[in-house]
Amino acid sequence: MDLCYLCGGFILTCMTDYLNELNESQREAVLYNEGPSLVIAGAGSGKTRVLTYKIAYLLDNGYEPWSILALTFTNKAAREMKERIARQVGQERARYLWMGTFHSIFSRILRAEAEALGFTPNFTIYDATDSKSLVKTIIKEMNLDDKVYKPGMVQGRIGNAKNHLVLPEAYAANAELIEADRAAKVPLLHEIYLRYWNRCRQSDAMDFDDLLLYTYLLFRTRPDICDKYAARFRYILVDEYQDTNFAQHSIVLQLTQKHQFVCVVGDDDQSIYGFRSADSSIMLNFKKKFKDAQKFTLSTNYRSGKKIVEYAGKVINNNKTRFKKKFEAGREEPGELKMGIYSDELEENLAIIHWIKDLHDKKEVPYCNIAMLYRRNVEATTILPLLKKADIPISIKENPGNIHNHFVFEAINAYYQLSQAYDPEEDRISDGAKVYLAKILNCPSRYIKTEFFKDCDLSPKSIKKCINAYFETTPYNVRRYRDMLNNLDELKETLSRIRRMSPKMFLKTIVNVDFEEWVKQSAEYRGLSYEMAKAVLHDIISEGNSFDTMEEWIDYIGDFQEFLDDCANNPDGVRLSTFHGAKGLEWDYVWIRNVTYKNVPFQRSLNENGDAGLEEERRMFYVAFTRAKKEVEVSCIRMPGMFLGELIDKKKIMLIDDNQQIPFSEIEKYGISSNVS
């Protein structure tokens, strides 16, 4: 019987019989509270509903709100769950739940117990920028090359050590870690870690990774404090358990080792954050840590049409390290899958734009129900200007792949800015343009490091001084010396010619100074696809050629940046997102672009991580695929990636070599049609 009641002057909503809203598997998972439980929740299977209703059920069966700890990975997830619970049990009871992200909950505990660790309760929490700044300072103090000891890389390796509960002393004593650093040409990384650790403690500060590490250390060194919180939290629930790292998992074990009232919910098939130290094996081995744990599998997908569920299963079933599941569709709609191979990126882009316009104009689908997904941010680069030109509103949360932020455009812009600052008569450039000179001279095709030319002004005296300084530290042969002089003479001549050119002539001149070769070398140096970089160059040329003057082009670039800024918070646009950024979201119509050989799966991931990398890449594709409710479009350029082959059981696609190109007219022989229904 439903009850309405008053509490503290507030009228609380009537509690419905929420258990009747659950299917059999969901209900079993909610009702079991006799010990540890593992809920494997496939895509669209009602994971959040189960977690929410389980907490409501605990509250309705003798648990006080403050005795329940629910750990999530995002503040948004915590807010949404709390709002749902409040609708079931009332706002007053829900407000006292311990519910939040690992970092927010553990920072709360650490502030209460800070003195036990030698910190004050008001310790500072460094964000990523603060942390990176400190790393930069230490690298500079140690007189290390920040091109070798890249601050972001160093920060990541230190964070990874902390997430595996490795302290500085243990790091320095670990032969395997030291050898890995030596092989990576960063043998002093352990010293940076130690200095960083000590500097944080001296400043009464922790970074985000410390919030996990110090919580673990607190519970390990002070069992009395660990017992206090284990007794307080009679029941612990963890959302998205497949994304936990070793530190998070270890703390959960500390808090539950005695009472073992813990429920973890997640989907091992959606574990895609290996680069953040997430470890899917933690979830896979849950029953080894909790031997009496009951396992519940939610395999009914209520999000996607039948065909989408079927084909998603075909792909993910190729992974070996996973829980086996039988996928079922909870919707009657059949769903659609369409695939196409395109001759180049422009053809693919135009097809996507036509698809969006057709959905919106002919089928009256709101733009916000459409998404275009891709493996890497850079893949949005070339389509953004076309979307703007087509007046298609977009929504993009991640840093977009703007061609004007691409290294190819930055080099072209450096030539232009330098040409405007160069005085041929005086043979000098203005001080404000020195940064552009350094950028141009620091190309792989030139033999000069940036630091030697940061003060150069192109005068003969300045050039000689810089070159002499260069040879004092890097003695190359006479040919290299002559090449440097020739390159600088060539540069001055180029700058003199392009100062007043139209965009078309300007770009033609730049390309004629072996610029494409520079693009190739620069892409290789950065570990990027030359084909993608070349496509960006062609897009820049196409864009520039549409303007009569450089001033008009520059004005357009400013307008385009405003367009992107407006897209950041546009709830009514087509969503552009990476696979990672799409996790947890859904749309009616989804286009997955550039599922091309060596891109999806991403070759670098395979090279670095082998079979484990391949399985994570497949999980990423699976996540992207299962975002769709009604229709999935999958496309590639020339050479299909292996996941397209898995969709239709054609193994031939896996055997295509690097140099082979597939004309659109011949795709049938590979078993792929432009329309699979």
Side-chain angles (χ1 to χ4, degrees):
M1 181 174 66
D2 294 344
L3 298 176
C4 292
Y5 58 98
L6 292 170
C7 181
F10 294 94
I11 300 176
L12 303 181
T13 9
C14 297
M15 184 180 71
T16 62
D17 189 359
Y18 48 82
L19 294 179
N20 291 333
E21 299 176 17
L22 305 173
N23 66 30
E24 185 178 352
S25 298
Q26 293 170 335
R27 191 180 300 109
E28 288 176 352
V30 168
L31 293 177
Y32 181 80
N33 295 301
E34 298 174 16
S37 60
L38 167 66
V39 182
I40 303 165
S45 64
K47 168 182 69 68
T48 304
R49 171 175 286 193
V50 166
L51 202 54
T52 300
Y53 286 6
K54 192 175 187 72
I55 294 172
Y57 183 77
L58 290 171
L59 291 171
D60 287 338
N61 286 272
Y63 283 82
E64 298 294 347
W66 50 85
S67 72
I68 298 173
L69 171 62
L71 297 167
T72 66
F73 275 84
T74 65
N75 289 314
K76 180 184 176 185
R79 280 195 309 270
E80 290 178 352
M81 284 175 57
K82 203 166 228 182
E83 288 169 0
R84 290 195 188 189
I85 293 166
R87 289 196 290 269
Q88 298 297 333
V89 303
Q91 184 67 42
E92 189 65 20
R93 296 173 75 193
R95 67 183 293 194
Y96 292 108
L97 288 165
W98 277 66
M99 179 178 289
T101 65
F102 282 88
H103 294 89
S104 67
I105 294 294
F106 295 159
S107 66
R108 185 175 169 183
I109 293 174
L110 287 171
R111 290 201 185 280
E113 311 292 345
E115 293 180 0
L117 292 165
F119 288 86
T120 70
N122 297 317
F123 64 81
T124 301
I125 299 177
Y126 285 165
D127 62 18
T129 302
D130 298 326
S131 172
K132 193 172 185 177
S133 178
L134 178 55
V135 168
K136 285 181 178 177
T137 299
I138 293 170
I139 290 170
K140 187 176 181 179
E141 290 174 352
M142 294 177 65
N143 294 315
L144 299 174
D145 186 350
D146 62 4
K147 300 292 190 300
V148 178
Y149 289 85
K150 297 178 181 178
M153 178 274 294
V154 173
Q155 186 183 20
R157 290 173 90 102
I158 292 174
N160 187 56
K162 290 180 178 181
N163 287 326
H164 286 86
L165 306 176
V166 179
L167 297 177
E169 295 82 1
Y171 191 110
N174 188 304
E176 187 176 343
L177 290 174
I178 296 301
E179 175 57 27
D181 289 344
R182 188 197 64 77
K185 300 184 176 7
V186 286
L188 295 178
L189 199 144
H190 68 282
E191 178 64 25
I192 300 174
Y193 182 14
L194 180 61
R195 293 192 184 199
Y196 177 86
W197 175 271
N198 290 334
R199 199 73 60 84
C200 285
R201 288 198 64 91
Q202 292 165 9
S203 302
D204 194 34
M206 299 184 192
D207 62 25
F208 282 125
D209 296 316
D210 284 331
L211 297 177
L212 302 178
L213 177 55
Y214 276 115
T215 301
Y216 173 80
L217 291 175
L218 174 69
F219 291 161
R220 189 186 73 180
T221 58
R222 291 290 302 274
D224 58 320
I225 295 177
C226 183
D227 289 343
K228 179 175 73 173
Y229 286 97
R232 174 179 294 178
F233 304 131
R234 293 176 56 200
Y235 211 106
I236 296 176
L237 304 99
V238 187
D239 190 19
E240 303 286 5
Y241 201 67
Q242 78 280 348
D243 294 329
T244 51
N245 59 38
F246 182 71
Q248 292 163 332
H249 168 65
S250 297
I251 297 168
V252 172
L253 288 178
Q254 287 175 316
L255 290 171
T256 60
Q257 61 183 335
K258 292 184 177 179
H259 63 64
Q260 296 209 341
F261 283 103
V262 57
C263 173
V264 302
V265 182
D267 182 9
D268 55 302
D269 289 334
Q270 297 187 67
S271 179
I272 61 173
Y273 294 114
F275 66 96
R276 295 182 187 169
S277 301
D279 185 353
S280 61
S281 69
I282 290 172
M283 184 172 183
L284 294 170
N285 293 322
F286 182 82
K287 292 195 68 174
K288 291 182 179 179
K289 296 294 183 180
F290 297 90
K291 299 188 185 307
D292 296 327
Q294 293 295 308
K295 185 176 75 172
F296 303 92
T297 302
L298 313 181
S299 56
T300 303
N301 184 328
Y302 293 98
R303 175 187 299 145
S304 306
K306 292 181 179 180
K307 195 169 289 293
I308 296 172
V309 174
E310 176 190 349
Y311 282 100
K314 279 188 176 182
V315 173
I316 200 62
N317 282 334
N318 287 282
N319 272 4
K320 297 178 181 177
T321 310
R322 61 187 292 269
F323 291 117
K324 298 298 181 184
K325 309 174 189 69
K326 183 180 179 182
F327 295 96
E328 299 174 351
R331 298 178 59 180
E332 291 300 319
E333 295 88 341
E336 291 187 76
L337 167 64
K338 299 179 180 179
M339 293 186 281
I341 299 179
Y342 298 94
S343 59
D344 55 35
E345 194 172 18
L346 177 60
E347 187 179 27
E348 184 185 44
N349 285 339
L350 294 175
I352 293 170
I353 289 172
H354 176 77
W355 173 75
I356 294 171
K357 295 291 281 185
D358 190 61
L359 286 174
H360 182 265
D361 296 345
K362 296 182 180 178
K363 297 184 179 180
E364 298 183 346
V365 177
Y367 285 123
C368 61
N369 288 344
I370 305 170
M372 183 188 77
L373 308 181
Y374 35 84
R375 173 63 177 82
R376 299 173 295 146
N377 263 316
V378 69
E379 294 167 61
T381 300
T382 58
I383 199 172
L384 283 169
L386 299 177
L387 290 166
K388 182 179 184 298
K389 190 175 181 179
D391 291 322
I392 294 174
I394 65 171
S395 174
I396 188 165
K397 303 292 185 184
E398 302 158 292
N399 184 33
N402 182 0
I403 62 171
H404 307 129
N405 295 332
H406 198 275
F407 78 86
V408 174
F409 182 84
E410 288 177 351
I412 291 173
N413 183 54
Y415 271 104
Y416 174 73
Q417 297 295 341
L418 200 58
S419 73
Q420 302 306 296
Y422 177 54
D423 184 346
E425 294 182 4
E426 296 290 331
D427 202 18
R428 294 184 181 275
I429 60 173
S430 62
D431 289 340
K434 298 286 180 65
V435 62
Y436 299 112
L437 175 63
K439 183 178 289 293
I440 290 174
L441 293 175
N442 194 36
C443 300
S445 59
R446 305 187 190 276
Y447 307 99
I448 313 162
K449 290 186 177 181
T450 302
E451 58 262 32
F452 293 104
F453 281 84
K454 62 184 179 182
D455 299 320
C456 182
D457 59 12
L458 294 184
S459 67
K461 183 179 179 180
S462 179
I463 292 170
K464 186 176 180 180
K465 180 182 177 182
C466 291
I467 288 179
N468 287 337
Y470 182 75
F471 271 92
E472 285 179 7
T473 58
T474 313
Y476 282 103
N477 57 33
V478 176
R479 179 183 174 186
R480 286 260 171 121
Y481 184 89
R482 189 167 56 248
D483 286 341
M484 284 188 287
L485 291 176
N486 289 339
N487 281 333
L488 289 167
D489 289 338
E490 176 190 320
L491 177 61
K492 290 194 289 184
E493 183 185 349
T494 301
L495 294 175
S496 299
R497 287 191 290 121
I498 64 177
R499 296 184 75 233
R500 298 290 180 264
M501 286 182 176
S502 68
K504 186 174 183 178
M505 289 303 300
F506 164 73
L507 290 165
K508 185 176 180 180
T509 303
I510 297 300
V511 171
N512 285 340
V513 295
D514 294 327
F515 194 76
E516 286 204 45
E517 178 62 24
W518 175 85
V519 169
K520 183 178 182 180
Q521 292 181 20
S522 294
E524 291 174 352
Y525 178 75
R526 291 169 168 81
L528 302 174
S529 162
Y530 169 53
E531 291 298 322
M532 290 289 294
K534 189 165 67 172
V536 170
L537 173 60
H538 291 165
D539 284 333
I540 293 168
I541 293 171
S542 177
E543 181 183 274
N545 288 347
S546 66
F547 297 94
D548 294 327
T549 67
M550 292 297 294
E551 290 76 15
E552 290 175 350
W553 190 15
I554 291 168
D555 287 343
Y556 167 81
I557 291 170
D559 291 340
F560 185 73
Q561 186 57 55
E562 289 183 11
F563 162 73
L564 291 181
D565 293 341
D566 291 340
C567 294
N569 297 301
N570 181 10
D572 301 319
V574 175
R575 182 64 176 268
L576 273 59
S577 173
T578 61
F579 296 170
H580 287 104
K583 190 171 180 293
L585 304 176
E586 60 184 31
W587 300 271
D588 287 344
Y589 299 87
V590 171
W591 187 302
I592 307 175
R593 68 172 298 157
N594 199 19
V595 187
T596 302
Y597 184 51
K598 290 195 173 184
N599 189 60
V600 179
F602 191 40
Q603 189 64 42
R604 185 190 297 178
S605 179
L606 307 190
N607 293 342
E608 294 177 356
N609 302 304
D611 290 343
L614 173 61
E615 295 214 343
E616 179 147 328
E617 290 288 315
R618 188 177 281 112
R619 291 194 294 268
M620 274 188 267
F621 182 73
Y622 172 78
V623 166
F625 203 90
T626 54
R627 299 311 91 193
K629 297 179 183 178
K630 297 181 179 180
E631 181 182 304
V632 181
E633 297 264 356
V634 186
S635 62
C636 70
I637 301 168
R638 298 179 184 170
M639 294 180 284
M642 66 185 296
F643 300 157
L644 260 71
E646 291 173 356
L647 282 171
I648 52 174
D649 300 323
K650 297 293 180 180
K651 304 299 183 183
K652 290 181 181 179
I653 294 173
M654 299 168 59
L655 304 176
I656 299 171
D657 66 41
D658 294 6
N659 300 315
Q660 188 174 357
Q661 296 180 359
I662 305 173
F664 193 79
S665 60
E666 297 182 17
I667 62 176
E668 285 292 344
K669 84 177 188 180
Y670 292 98
I672 297 182
S673 63
S674 57
N675 229 336
V676 178
S677 57

